[in-house]
Amino acid sequence: RFKGVYSKMDLSFPEDVTEQLELAVGAVFRGWMGDRAVKYREVENIRNLLGTAVNVQAMVFGNMGDTSGTGVCFTRDPNNGQKSLFGEFLINAQGEDVVAGIRTPKPISDLNEVMHEVYEEFKKNTAILEKSYCDMQDIEFTIQEGKLFMLQTRNGKRGGE
């Protein structure tokens, strides 16, 4: 699809990843002074900003085989507040696969059997996050080839029990 846009403009899609990154970053900065962006800031009375920013981060993949996976987890049971990990994970899957219902996720406790060292690291990280934020956390994570990546955390919503 993106290569088609380049073809319509009689350009060739850059194959070099550094060039792709430079073009993407440049597009963000050029967009800062685009007519729509300037008008938006004017309408919303957004003034005295120095510019914009670009976040660049590496991607991780949970679908790289039996040593990879993804999951979601609360640091406590959101229904009753019990201090035990409450979540699910899938082996060889990406994040949306857990919630999409395509495959049946396994309880987070099963990760201890499948990847014991990753599970122990995960437990340690969840304790740090809950202590740091002084609240139950809702966490998303990915494991790529045996390495744990904590992707996101936020204060968890509780159920009605």
Side-chain angles (χ1 to χ4, degrees), residues 88-105:
E88 301 174 316
F89 77 101
L90 284 171
I91 295 295
N92 195 24
Q94 287 291 92
E96 287 302 310
D97 297 342
V98 175
V99 293
I102 298 167
R103 292 170 39 202
T104 304

Side-chain angles (χ1 to χ4, degrees), residues 8 10 12 33 40-41 50-51 70 76 84 86 91 106 119-121 123-124 136 148 152-153 155 157 160:
K8 284 182 183 177
D10 201 28
S12 61
M33 290 310 294
Y40 174 81
R41 290 193 298 274
L50 297 176
T70 189
R76 295 175 180 264
S84 63
F86 184 90
I91 295 295
K106 297 184 181 209
Y119 181 75
E120 290 300 319
E121 181 183 2
K123 274 192 349 183
K124 185 175 116 188
M136 174 181 74
L148 174 65
Q152 177 174 301
T153 191
N155 289 344
K157 293 185 169 78

Side-chain angles (χ1 to χ4, degrees), residues 16-37:
D16 178 63
V17 294
T18 303
E19 184 180 355
Q20 291 174 15
L21 180 60
E22 288 170 349
L23 289 169
V25 169
V28 171
F29 287 114
R30 282 190 306 281
W32 174 255
M33 290 310 294
D35 292 341
R36 289 181 61 193

Side-chain angles (χ1 to χ4, degrees), residues 57-72:
Q57 63 187 50
M59 294 291 293
V60 293
F61 300 95
N63 58 355
M64 296 183 75
D66 291 341
T67 60
S68 300
T70 189
V72 294

